[in-house]
Amino acid sequence: MEGKQPLSGSTREQQQAAAGSGGTEETPRLPAGVGDAPAADSEPEAGLSLAAAAGDALCRPLGPTPSQSRFQVDLVAEGSGRAAADEPQKPGGQGGAAVKGSEEAKGRFRVNFVDPSAGDESPAEPGGGLEGGGVSFQNGGDTVLSEGSLHSGGGGGSGGHHHYDTHTNTYYLRTFGHNTMDAVPRIDHYRHTAAELGEKLIRPSLAELHDELDKEPFEDGYANGEEGTPPGEADATYTADIKGIVKFGWIKGVLVRCMLNIWGVMLFIRLSWIVGQAGIALSVLVIAMATVVTTITGMSTSAIATNGFVRGGGAYYLISRSLGPEFGGAIGLIFAFANAVAVAMYVVGFAETVVELLQENDALMLDEMNDIRIIGAITVLILLGISVAGMEWEAKAQITLLVILLLAIGDFIIGTFIPLDNKKVKGFFGYKAEILTENFGPDFRDGETFFSVFAIFFPAATGILAGANISGDLADPQSAIPKGTLLAIVITTLVYIGMAISVGSCVVRDATGNINSTIITELTNCTTSACKLNFDFSSCQKTQCPYGLLNDFQVMSMVSGFAPLISAGIFSATLSSALASLVSAPKIFQALCKDNIYPGLLMFAKGYGKNNEPLRGYILTFLIALGFILIAELNVIAPIISNFFLASYALINFSVFHASLAKSPGWRPAFKYYNMWVSLVGAILCCIVMFVINWWAALLTYVIVLGLYIYVTYKKPDVNWGSSTQALTYLSALQHSVRLTGVEDHIKNFRPQCLVMTGAPNSRPALVHLVHAFTKNVGLMICGHIHMGPRRQAIKELSTDLARYQRWLIKNKMKAFYAPVHAEDLRDGGQYLMQAAGLGRMRPNTLVVGFKKDWKQADMRDVETYINLFHDAFDIQYGVVVIRLKEGLDISHLQGQEELLSSQEKSPSSKDVVVNVDYSKKTETDTSKVFSPPSSEKTPGLHKDSKGPRSPLNLADQRLLDASSQFQKKQGKNTIDVWWLFDDGGLTLLIPYLLTTKKKWKDCKIRVFIGGKINRIDHDRRAMATLLSKFRIDFSDIMVLGDINTKPKKENIAAFEEMVEPFRLHEDDKEQDIADKMKEDEPWRITDNELELYKTKSYRQIRLNELLKEHSSTANVIVMSLPVARKGAVSSALYMAWLEVLSKDLPPILLVRGNHQSVLTFYS
């Protein structure tokens, strides 16, 4: 590495130590930020990466490195040759000829340690050292002083506790020797808050790196979806004391547990019977089939376990983090319950064996059933004691039990090679080809079949999750779970197959046990292997014999070299499985309760001691187990447990398939030996096996899982685990959106896709609810919000508003999107939204705006901008809808009351009431200014306080508040009046039809009003009735207005002229050039010529308002054709006056103008 400077000896040793630790363990500490370092156990944030600082090629991210020592930074010039590099270090820590040739050299820094005890007395070197707490770096010959002090507190090592404190514009010595705030890649940046293995560090946010220095950066620098810890709380949250916590490796934690759990009672009591029924070949097939299911599940478990850090909770944790809380919550509860009941099942298995031994020796305490209860209760109490004593004791007990179990297996294998004469009458002859041949095929008796035998054996193969269930107690779950689980499956399967073949080759199916069955004379017509071996067990065909594979469950004891050891093996197998289940159930239950999916169970989340032992969970498991032990009849409950285990296996397999199908970039398991389709087959096999074992138990399991799934879905727990369900939702939405893009639009499929200029959606609820009424489940609805004013402030608000208002829409069950945008003025923002909002075919085609109620008092430039929005919409082929309520739409000045109102409507005890915005702090150029009532009506800073006294509302505000919620109520049997005066393609008719399809509006009848001639009223009515019937739109009445062109009343004309007077130019009274200049400066003004030219049109609007009041004053809502103003010919003031006079003093009115392309068709 030519030109690179070697590290000093101590530095290199420390680097190697740090690099070797993988960056997570405690390493010899490098000092923190220049000047003052934080205390050793405080923030490791400012720690310097040694390799990075020295320019070493390793450049590995190091672990947390806070320290109390001080250090100096010396420049090492790359161009100064090897001499400087090889020169020994001076005591003061100054490198050799450090600064020579620095004009042409790139700067490099060498980190030199200073004795912390020296404090501030260490010499400040001229080549760049500590200068009173500040630092000067020489970079390419230039001196770069830091902005302000670098957290210099004067004392060596007593500096303040800090994260990246970028608010003081501090530079930190971080990467590659440059004085930059940028952080090098580091594991601590990716941790969750208060992670077990180390503390989460917060990298500088983009704003902190990118924003101008004299402005305050954003408050947080958290990555997407992560939560950060405020600086002061960080060391409080991270209190994990590594000493004393018991963590297991893969052998003790996973392999031993899985092997003990898989080798159950079946190995010694039922395996011989299965071989007798199914024969060696089919027995091996039964074992192989069970192994296929468990191996696929084991591989799926390994894939999920290696896709990120695994915490406690085993199967529940794996499923919930993969498929989401719905499946996870359902499985977690039944899996924890199944483990608790499994304790009872294993303990009763143990108690039955003990009672059999007592019977043989005539030592029963009471009777058989009560003895099982007594022994079972005592046993489970002892097991509880071992579990509560701690995981270390439990692990020691497991090792002891494994040793006994292995000795018992060895005892059986040895016994097969020692055929004693006294055992021959019981059917054991040692390894004989005749017996192997005879036992090779099946001999099903007593109504047994292949599948019934399989159902009896399969529970023996379960238990593969015993290691995963204590995932929180494993040192490295990601490597331990795959290694331990898969190796346990291989070992146990080989032992099962080996013992099945052994017992099938040594023992005949039937034996009398009677010494008289020995044949003295040799028979010539022998058919059975026993006969060939000079034993006559033919009497067994008539009566049932007590010995042989099919009749004696204690064949293993009989074959073994030392029978009591087999009994010890049975005890070991049952007790170890019981112990594993007793530990698993509370751990899973604790993890489930911690996630608060079932709020009533939160009390069981509490852990005790350094290992966070779930003592309450242990007690609950103990009580459940004790309850089932007292029943003592487990033949009914056993198949349900097997099915509960299988349901979780099926979901683990399905999780892998689902995650692979969703193609989420976050699905990258370190374990590569899995396949999504194999996992799917595994899931299907698990479901089939459930029915094979017990069909009614399978159905019951499905019902319970489905019930819990529906409950959790309904409760909607507030968790976000990035599940594959979310990923698949995104993927299917993306694929359908792309597919939709390739489909041409058709009139039959036209949908009103509305861009609603709401501003903040909760400030105009009436507008949002009315539009939602005709777009819900029909078309797209986007709530546009244009932020204006200072760009920096607006950009900051965009991100906070996006989450806040989208939440508001979801909470209010609005199927709509929120789209904020920053622009210089309303018109620009409207253009941005109209051009860019939407995706593919899901783009808005209709602009919806609220009527500008305060236009007469407002700045006319704002009115000009407002009217230009309409022109822009028509230019890009949008339809336009203007909605007017006589009370107004904007309730932002009553925000607190509106929230109170909505919370009272929904539930009297609603907890999550959205806090209102303090409008006194808002810039006056927000969108609310454009659509809202005049600012004089606002009461700035009115805060919602649910407990404190509320200022009484005036009458107008009370009416406004009532009006804002009118579309949330059922509309009753009233009318929707459609004034379809001009043909705009049918949008004016389609919107009211869509309204009547909704539940709240379904009782409303449509009345249609059209213009016509007095002498052709009947003809026009029939023509319209024919058209509506062809469109298949129901109507209650059609009214033809023959008097539309009648001159309006004089007082109304006078009122109109008085209204437009302030906006007139009166060019006839002024000189030509003054009038022209005025028209140029104020283009919204109405010229005398224009007023005269459009007199008829003005009168029509006045007349229509008279007719509307006459015919439609009681309608629920009026939908009317919007008059169109020619661009450049009609001034904004005149157009606004038309809309004002047309729509004033009426029920809610929608002025609608489609884009003049057909949206209705009568063709099929």
Side-chain angles (χ1 to χ4, degrees), residues 1010 1013 1015-1026 1040:
I1010 55 170
K1013 293 181 182 172
N1015 57 353
R1016 293 185 56 192
I1017 284 180
D1018 282 348
H1019 176 271
D1020 290 345
R1021 183 186 280 120
R1022 276 198 300 276
M1024 179 51 67
T1026 306
V1040 183

Side-chain angles (χ1 to χ4, degrees), residues 413-424:
I413 299 296
I414 291 165
T416 58
F417 291 100
I418 315 169
L420 300 172
D421 287 345
N422 66 339
K423 290 182 182 177
K424 286 184 180 179

Side-chain angles (χ1 to χ4, degrees), residues 548-670:
L549 290 177
L550 283 168
N551 309 311
D552 184 12
F553 287 151
Q554 301 294 335
V555 165
M556 297 282 188
S557 297
M558 184 261 291
V559 170
S560 66
F562 181 61
L565 203 50
I566 296 291
S567 295
I570 293 170
F571 294 164
S572 170
T574 49
L575 291 178
S576 64
S577 297
L579 197 53
S581 297
L582 186 58
V583 170
S584 297
K587 296 274 183 189
I588 297 163
F589 197 55
Q590 183 185 31
L592 176 71
C593 297
K594 267 185 186 168
D595 288 335
N596 203 17
I597 289 175
Y598 303 103
L601 303 175
L602 194 58
M603 60 177 286
F604 292 103
K606 185 170 170 55
Y608 296 87
K610 285 186 176 175
N611 266 29
N612 199 28
E613 293 289 350
L615 295 186
R616 293 173 180 181
Y618 280 127
I619 302 299
L620 183 67
T621 306
F622 166 74
L623 292 174
I624 292 170
L626 191 62
F628 282 100
I629 286 167
L630 295 177
I631 295 171
E633 276 296 327
L634 284 173
N635 291 346
V636 175
I637 212 78
I640 298 178
I641 295 173
S642 292
N643 274 321
F644 279 0
F645 283 132
L646 274 165
S648 43
Y649 292 180
L651 277 180
I652 287 174
N653 285 316
F654 184 69
S655 298
V656 171
F657 169 73
H658 202 267
S660 304
L661 188 68
K663 298 186 179 75
S664 171
W667 174 249
R668 330 180 269 281

Side-chain angles (χ1 to χ4, degrees), residues 1118-1138:
I1118 301 166
V1119 182
M1120 186 176 200
S1121 297
L1122 172 75
V1124 177
R1126 191 171 295 282
K1127 198 165 40 167
V1130 180
S1131 61
S1132 301
L1134 182 59
Y1135 187 40
M1136 205 67 214
W1138 289 351

Side-chain angles (χ1 to χ4, degrees), residues 129 172 189 245 288 360 580 673 698 723 737 879 909 967 993-994 1027 1030 1052:
Y172 291 88
H189 293 139
I245 290 185
E360 283 174 20
Y673 307 102
S723 65
S737 301
S909 60
F967 300 121
Y993 163 73
L994 291 173
L1027 181 61
K1030 284 200 171 181
N1052 291 339

